[in-house]
Amino acid sequence: TEGVSTSDIVARIVRDYDTYVRRNLARGYSRQELNVSFIKGQKFKLQNKVDSIKHDVTERFMKWEEQSKEMVGAFLHKFTNPAIEQFFNSGTERIFRAISPQPSPPGSRGASPEPDEDEPSVKKVK
């Protein structure tokens, strides 16, 4: 076929040899059919198993993440109604007032008395 070089095909196979062997072992070819040594065959089987476990773990993690988002959403929907939001907001206001209290109004028990100008002030005796 014109435009297709057999040397390019062979070079690609040699360059990606591990990938081709792993794929063919996974398809059911024996290592003897692929002319692969026992050690290399075990290495490729182990790599395939590790990749399978990685895929399973990733898939389960994504499923767990999705379920946890759904559970948090359901929890928030169930427990965030207007009454709870009002309770939370009023609790926040009370905490804010406790942290930074307003100054006491004039004439209240907590206010410090200021001398009136109408009343004569007591002079200190020297």
Side-chain angles (χ1 to χ4, degrees):
T1 312
E2 289 186 32
V4 177
S5 168
T6 52
S7 349
D8 287 342
I9 294 172
V10 170
R12 285 171 70 193
I13 291 172
V14 170
R15 183 182 63 219
D16 298 330
Y17 174 75
D18 289 353
T19 306
Y20 287 111
V21 172
R22 285 178 63 190
R23 186 182 308 147
N24 285 323
L25 284 172
R27 287 181 180 161
Y29 288 97
S30 70
R31 66 174 181 79
Q32 291 87 1
E33 290 175 321
L34 298 171
N35 197 21
V36 175
S37 71
F38 175 77
I39 299 294
K40 273 217 184 235
Q42 294 302 312
K43 173 186 154 189
F44 292 136
K45 280 185 180 180
L46 180 64
Q47 286 176 338
N48 285 342
K49 191 66 173 173
V50 167
D51 285 349
S52 171
I53 291 171
K54 278 184 192 177
H55 178 73
D56 290 347
V57 167
T58 304
E59 202 172 273
R60 288 180 187 209
F61 180 75
M62 290 173 66
K63 185 177 179 181
W64 175 80
E65 187 177 22
E66 183 180 311
Q67 287 176 343
S68 68
K69 285 181 182 178
E70 288 175 6
M71 289 174 67
V72 168
F75 178 85
L76 291 175
H77 180 70
K78 185 173 185 174
F79 292 106
T80 55
N81 60 30
I84 290 178
E85 287 178 318
Q86 182 181 6
F87 176 74
F88 177 75
N89 291 335
S90 67
T92 305
E93 290 171 10
R94 280 187 265 151
I95 291 170
F96 182 72
R97 276 186 270 147
I99 292 172
S100 57
Q102 298 291 326
S104 300
S108 67
R109 246 173 54 157
S112 58
E114 295 182 13
D116 290 337
E117 292 178 14
D118 297 341
E119 296 180 15
S121 60
V122 179
K123 295 186 180 179
K124 293 183 182 177
V125 178
K126 292 184 182 178

